[in-house]
Amino acid sequence: MQPKPNHDESVRQDFVTDLRAYLTDEIYTLITPHYEKKIEPEFLQSHDRKPKDKSEVKSLMLNDKGYQSWSLLQRLSQQMMFTSVIDTVERNLEAMIDNLDKHQEIGSLEIDDSLEIPRYLTAYDIHQQPGGYHSETIEKDISAGAVYDISLPIYSRNAMGEENDLLAQAIIHYIDKNIGTFQPKDILDMGCGIGNSTLPFSKKYPNSKVVGADVALPCLRYAHARANALGVEADFSQQNVEKTNYDSESFDLVTSTLLLHETSHDAVPKIIQECFRLLKPGGWMIHLDVYPFHKKEDDPLYDFLKDWEVINNNENFSGALRKMNMKKIIEDAGFATETVEFTSAEAAAKYSKGYTGDFYLKLPVYVAQKSIAS
Amino acid sequence: MNDKTKLPRVAKGKKLNYLNDGSIDNLMAMIMTLTQEISVLRDRIDTLERILESKKIILDEEFNEFIPSDDLETKRKNRRHALLERVLLPIKKELE
Ligand SMILES: C[S@@+](CC[C@H](N)C(=O)[O-])C[C@H]1O[C@@H](n2cnc3c(N)ncnc32)[C@H](O)[C@@H]1O
């Protein structure tokens, strides 16, 4: 299903992968020492104290050529990633759409034409993907899904696994390790996008019924066709996961990967409440997202740097999510206090395409159980 | 990348500033290095095509069907790393 880059597109994309690796390994690593050796001492000289918070650090950094150059290049690399991927998708688009009919046999695709796309997805293009997840340029458009599918490996230095399923593997690993006896029958993957985190559950629990829900139709069309091409069964449905049309208590497991940080302050509690409504008593909710919980409160440089994506990559909500009291939101929704946990889910990751070495992926998860008595 | 000796690539001396605040100088340096590398590549491909043509062994679609081995992927990755090292040297200098 994934469109194949031609020779030049392929090596152009490889260049972006390597550029991003270089910017991270060779340039970003210089920023903290540069700050400690040059920027901070200069400030100390003229102010008799260190910068006190991230906004003070910010005004220093925005005037620093070295930092600004890295920041510019990092932003450009994201743009170069998308343009180099879009070439491939555009070249193959009509043929892919013509082929969609051949990939409808298993699973289903439910479309809701009247669904409104939330403003937080339409106001700006999250992480600079042109057109975002939802825009359609041509009838039966699937380009947003295809672009996402090819970009994810570039973004992750070819570490997401052949089917971009590393994040779901981390959740599965978490369940096996911590809730070993749990055998979910009905599973919902919220914000499923292209289904990359949905299909691993169909494979892991072959007797279960797995549903992926997302607002973005171009991603869902791609997800359904992709599932067929891979021969894995799942149902896909166009829904706003703040309020779905499923009956209460219809799922044993509700998951998401990389959903919450792309929503909004108002949406997060609604999504958590919806999870509670949808879960059967005893069911589990597991949301995996990108940001570390540990906060070095007294390190204004770290505070400033971790907001890079917010300011420079259109991840406008991701900074604010870090500050939300998720524990309270989850407890207020009704989840059993003693089961609410923020921990990390791990998966064994493997680089590919010229990158060698294995590593452990460790990502934060919000976990909670709906108590059996509720 | 490897433990081979690395020779210095930056001359010691007074730092001069030509355009704007110096960022533009960096940009210009990067762009010119890139241009140079593209020119090198172009000439190399040209040579390659001519040799292959004279031996009648290349078809256009073969380019797109070619799948590099793992070894070749690693070689290319290292080559790109070296290219970036040269192109982005001005930025590294700024931070070092
Ligand atoms: C970063 S993508 C994650 C896709 C996939 N789960 C993964 O991990 O690669 C976020 C997805 O969430 C979807 N999304 C955001 N808000 C949503 C909402 N309120 N209801 C349904 N889907 C939503 C977006 O359309 C997008 O496909």
Side-chain angles (χ1 to χ4, degrees):
Chain A
M1 185 65 208
Q2 200 184 76
K4 211 171 157 297
N6 66 26
H7 176 272
D8 288 6
E9 288 162 1
S10 170
V11 292
R12 192 171 293 123
Q13 291 161 14
D14 290 345
F15 175 82
V16 179
T17 308
D18 295 348
L19 170 61
R20 295 177 59 84
Y22 188 90
L23 289 175
T24 303
D25 297 350
E26 303 282 340
I27 310 252
Y28 184 73
T29 46
L30 301 176
I31 289 174
T32 301
H34 172 68
Y35 177 85
E36 285 165 355
K37 276 195 225 112
K38 180 166 175 278
I39 300 179
E40 197 180 57
E42 276 176 19
F43 185 92
L44 196 62
Q45 273 268 306
S46 56
H47 291 71
D48 273 338
R49 61 170 177 84
K50 291 180 171 187
K52 63 171 186 296
D53 56 19
K54 77 170 173 191
S55 85
E56 257 181 16
V57 172
K58 182 178 171 187
S59 53
L60 296 173
M61 294 306 257
L62 295 192
N63 283 308
D64 183 75
K65 278 178 271 175
Y67 172 78
Q68 284 292 73
S69 301
W70 168 79
S71 182
L72 169 66
L73 287 164
Q74 185 70 19
R75 179 173 166 85
L76 288 174
S77 76
Q78 184 86 359
Q79 293 168 2
M80 287 167 76
M81 172 176 85
F82 283 122
T83 39
S84 68
V85 166
I86 288 168
D87 286 344
T88 304
V89 173
E90 191 179 68
R91 193 171 50 75
N92 289 283
L93 188 56
E94 270 92 1
M96 282 194 293
I97 291 175
D98 286 346
N99 262 323
L100 279 180
D101 293 341
K102 292 193 201 125
H103 296 290
Q104 309 287 323
E105 306 263 288
I106 52 175
S108 65
L109 172 62
E110 191 189 22
I111 296 173
D112 178 0
D113 289 323
S114 66
L115 194 69
E116 239 185 90
I117 312 289
R119 232 189 81 79
Y120 47 80
L121 294 178
T122 58
Y124 46 84
D125 290 340
I126 292 182
H127 54 235
Q128 305 188 76
Q129 177 168 338
Y133 299 109
H134 64 284
S135 296
E136 300 190 47
T137 319
I138 168 177
E139 215 175 304
K140 293 200 200 159
D141 202 355
I142 53 169
S143 51
V147 168
Y148 190 87
D149 200 13
I150 309 180
S151 305
L152 210 47
I154 301 174
Y155 185 84
S156 68
R157 203 185 289 195
N158 301 319
M160 288 291 272
E162 226 155 84
E163 294 177 9
N164 277 328
D165 61 355
L166 191 64
L167 305 179
Q169 296 305 343
I171 294 184
I172 287 170
H173 184 247
Y174 178 90
I175 294 174
D176 280 348
K177 205 169 127 197
N178 300 287
I179 335 173
T181 55
F182 184 51
Q183 284 291 325
K185 285 214 171 57
D186 290 287
I187 302 170
L188 172 64
D189 177 29
M190 289 182 157
C192 66
I194 61 168
N196 52 321
S197 290
T198 317
L199 305 187
F201 293 101
S202 309
K203 289 195 209 165
K204 167 78 180 175
Y205 306 107
N207 298 321
S208 66
K209 189 170 151 44
V210 178
V211 184
D214 201 289
V215 268
L217 188 51
C219 292
L220 290 169
R221 284 195 195 102
Y222 186 83
H224 186 215
R226 178 180 177 275
N228 272 271
L230 295 170
V232 184
E233 184 165 347
D235 296 320
F236 293 95
S237 177
Q238 191 179 18
Q239 308 252 358
N240 184 337
V241 298
E242 293 172 39
K243 182 88 199 76
T244 66
N245 62 14
Y246 299 113
D247 291 337
S248 296
E249 307 194 352
S250 42
F251 295 96
D252 304 287
L253 173 65
V254 178
T255 62
S256 78
T257 58
L258 309 184
L259 165 72
L260 296 180
H261 79 278
E262 296 191 354
T263 62
S264 76
H265 204 272
D266 292 341
V268 168
K270 288 188 193 160
I271 292 171
I272 301 296
Q273 284 156 22
E274 182 67 358
C275 290
F276 187 81
R277 185 183 74 81
L278 293 175
L279 282 172
K280 301 177 199 171
W284 287 87
M285 162 182 93
I286 306 179
H287 298 286
L288 179 148
D289 220 301
V290 277
Y291 291 97
F293 304 113
H294 79 276
K295 259 199 258 161
K296 293 199 228 158
E297 295 284 3
D298 52 351
D299 186 348
L301 175 66
Y302 175 85
D303 260 1
F304 166 73
L305 290 175
K306 70 181 169 21
D307 274 348
W308 187 86
E309 298 263 344
V310 179
I311 300 162
N312 302 283
N313 203 23
N314 289 354
E315 291 281 5
N316 300 26
F317 177 58
S318 59
L321 173 66
R322 257 194 313 268
K323 290 190 211 101
M324 287 179 82
N325 188 343
M326 288 302 290
K327 189 168 167 57
K328 180 161 168 24
I329 291 170
I330 295 173
E331 285 172 10
D332 286 353
F335 286 94
T337 313
E338 67 282 4
T339 66
V340 179
E341 215 186 332
F342 309 112
T343 174
S344 49
E346 295 174 11
K350 220 182 182 54
Y351 284 127
S352 63
K353 265 198 126 179
Y355 284 91
T356 45
D358 305 344
F359 66 100
Y360 258 90
L361 175 88
K362 231 178 159 172
L363 283 168
V365 278
Y366 308 83
V367 185
Q369 186 184 25
K370 180 167 177 172
S371 68
I372 303 182
S374 42
Chain B
M1 291 267 81
N2 56 36
D3 310 349
K4 221 172 142 301
T5 315
K6 282 194 175 177
L7 299 173
R9 281 183 167 65
V10 181
K12 238 185 188 155
K14 191 168 154 42
K15 201 174 157 188
L16 299 179
N17 186 193
Y18 295 86
L19 297 167
N20 187 265
D21 62 353
S23 306
I24 307 282
D25 294 5
N26 286 342
L27 268 185
M28 198 69 90
M30 292 159 66
I31 291 167
M32 289 321 293
T33 313
L34 264 180
T35 313
Q36 175 193 37
E37 285 303 316
I38 289 167
S39 165
V40 170
L41 275 180
R42 189 56 252 169
D43 290 352
R44 185 184 171 90
I45 293 171
D46 190 53
T47 307
L48 192 66
E49 279 174 356
R50 264 152 233 281
I51 297 171
L52 291 172
E53 205 172 63
S54 71
K55 298 187 170 176
K56 297 198 184 339
I57 47 173
I58 194 167
L59 293 169
D60 203 29
E61 62 261 29
E62 281 178 304
F63 260 93
N64 293 328
E65 282 160 11
F66 180 77
I67 297 172
S69 68
D70 282 355
D71 273 359
L72 182 55
E73 291 276 22
T74 304
K75 234 183 220 149
R76 286 183 174 183
K77 180 181 74 80
N78 292 341
R79 203 154 56 208
R80 284 185 216 108
H81 184 97
L83 169 62
L84 287 165
E85 185 81 33
R86 262 179 283 173
V87 174
L88 295 177
L89 187 65
I91 307 302
K92 265 195 149 171
K93 268 195 314 197
E94 200 65 62
L95 286 163
E96 265 165 353

